[in-house]
Amino acid sequence: MRQQKEEADFMHLNDNGQAVAGGAAFCFAALFFLVYSVQQFRQKGRVLDPVILALEKEKREKTLETGRAYRESAHLFLFFTVICLLVGLALMFDSGWLAMAASVQAVVGALAILLKRIEQV
C-alpha cells in the first residue's frame, strides 16, 4: 500500500516545483513570442525567415515593403505563443487536457504552415 502511494506521488511533478518552474519558463517564452509577434504585425524589427535572409539586399527590401513577410512571421510567432502558453499552463496546473490541446495545436498549425508553403511554390 505504501509503495502505491509513493508511485502516485511520483507522477505529480508539481509537488517538488520542477513542473511549476518549467511552466513559468514556457509562459515567459510565450510572452517573448507575443511581444515579437506584435512587433511583426506593426512591421517593426527584423524578419526571422531564412528565405528572406538569404535574398539579396535589393530583393529583400522589395519583399519587405509588401508586408507579406511581416504578416507570415507574425502569424508564426503568434502560433509559437499559443503553444508555449498551453504547454506552460499544462505544466503549472498538471493538466492533461491542456497538454493535449497544445499537441493538437502544434500538429494542426504545422500542417497549415506546410500546406501554405506548398501552395506558394
Side-chain angles (χ1 to χ4, degrees), residues 47-55 117:
V47 176
L48 297 177
D49 188 352
V51 175
I52 300 296
L53 296 175
L55 291 175
R117 289 286 182 161

Side-chain angles (χ1 to χ4, degrees), residues 37-57:
S37 179
V38 168
Q39 285 182 337
Q40 294 296 295
F41 276 120
R42 294 177 60 209
Q43 297 186 2
K44 305 277 183 190
R46 295 189 67 148
V47 176
L48 297 177
D49 188 352
V51 175
I52 300 296
L53 296 175
L55 291 175
E56 296 174 5
K57 187 175 182 177

Side-chain angles (χ1 to χ4, degrees), residues 95-116:
S95 174
W97 67 269
L98 277 174
M100 182 61 74
S103 301
V104 169
Q105 172 71 18
V107 170
V108 170
L111 288 175
I113 291 170
L114 181 63
L115 292 175
K116 191 174 185 179

